[in-house]
Amino acid sequence: MPPKPPLNPRNFPRPPLLEQTTRHLQIKWDGELIADTKEAYWVLETTHPPTYYLPPTSVNYPSSLKKTTHSSFCEWKGSATYWAITHPKNPSKTVNNRIWSYESPTKSFSAIKDYLSFYAGPWDCYVDGELVQPQPGDFYGGWVTKEIQGPVKGGPGTWGW
């Protein structure tokens, strides 16, 4: 596979752009494949690495997901619902609020209704086989790959970007 062209999040649009992507996305937790798809969307927003939204059908253990009471609001996408997931091979291991979705997104983001977005941790997230790094900080859920060039929002001193 040829190298991917560089992506500079400073050049991403605001309001954000929603696009389908055929990149191969995988989420593995302790080696267990939790989700796998080539039919996702990504959101590209100024100063943010891409945030990926996976179809619910890509989750290999849908019964391990349970809604939590946590919520947040995005000015572009609307109100987010958060999820807990229990490890399919270790039922004593549950992670809360590291997966979110939009049950009633705004019109511009209606395509990602019920799609799931995973923070890049505590599990391992991959884009076309590359292990991603989480967006700095603990608020945003972008995935940083080698093609991302330039600073991204989330780390110290970037809140007002």
Side-chain angles (χ1 to χ4, degrees), residues 8-148:
N8 185 336
R10 292 237 180 218
N11 297 330
F12 291 170
R14 187 165 174 86
L17 174 67
L18 174 67
E19 286 185 328
Q20 283 190 295
T21 179
T22 58
R23 292 172 179 228
H24 188 193
L25 308 180
Q26 293 182 306
I27 295 150
K28 296 179 182 179
W29 191 7
D30 296 336
E32 190 68 30
L33 187 62
I34 301 299
D36 189 0
T37 190
K38 291 182 181 177
E39 298 176 351
Y41 285 87
W42 67 357
V43 173
L44 305 177
E45 181 176 359
T46 307
T47 70
H48 294 266
T51 304
Y52 292 92
Y53 289 84
L54 288 70
T57 55
S58 71
V59 176
N60 292 330
Y61 304 96
S63 64
S64 67
L65 290 168
K66 304 286 183 235
K67 286 183 192 178
T68 71
T69 59
H70 185 67
S71 65
S72 65
F73 183 79
C74 171
E75 65 183 308
W76 310 111
K77 295 180 278 306
S79 295
T81 298
Y82 286 77
W83 298 84
I85 187 169
T86 301
H87 193 285
K89 304 290 183 183
N90 184 353
S92 66
K93 200 173 191 178
T94 297
V95 174
N96 293 307
N97 304 322
R98 302 293 291 170
I99 303 168
W100 74 96
S101 65
Y102 293 93
E103 295 178 287
S104 299
T106 61
K107 184 177 180 181
S108 298
F109 289 86
S110 62
I112 59 169
K113 178 182 178 355
D114 298 327
Y115 274 50
L116 299 164
S117 191
F118 290 71
Y119 281 91
W123 31 74
D124 294 325
C125 300
Y126 297 86
V127 175
D128 291 332
E130 179 187 344
L131 177 64
V132 306
Q133 298 302 310
Q135 183 170 359
D138 199 41
F139 184 73
Y140 301 108
W143 293 7
V144 179
T145 55
K146 291 177 188 169
E147 69 197 310
I148 301 298

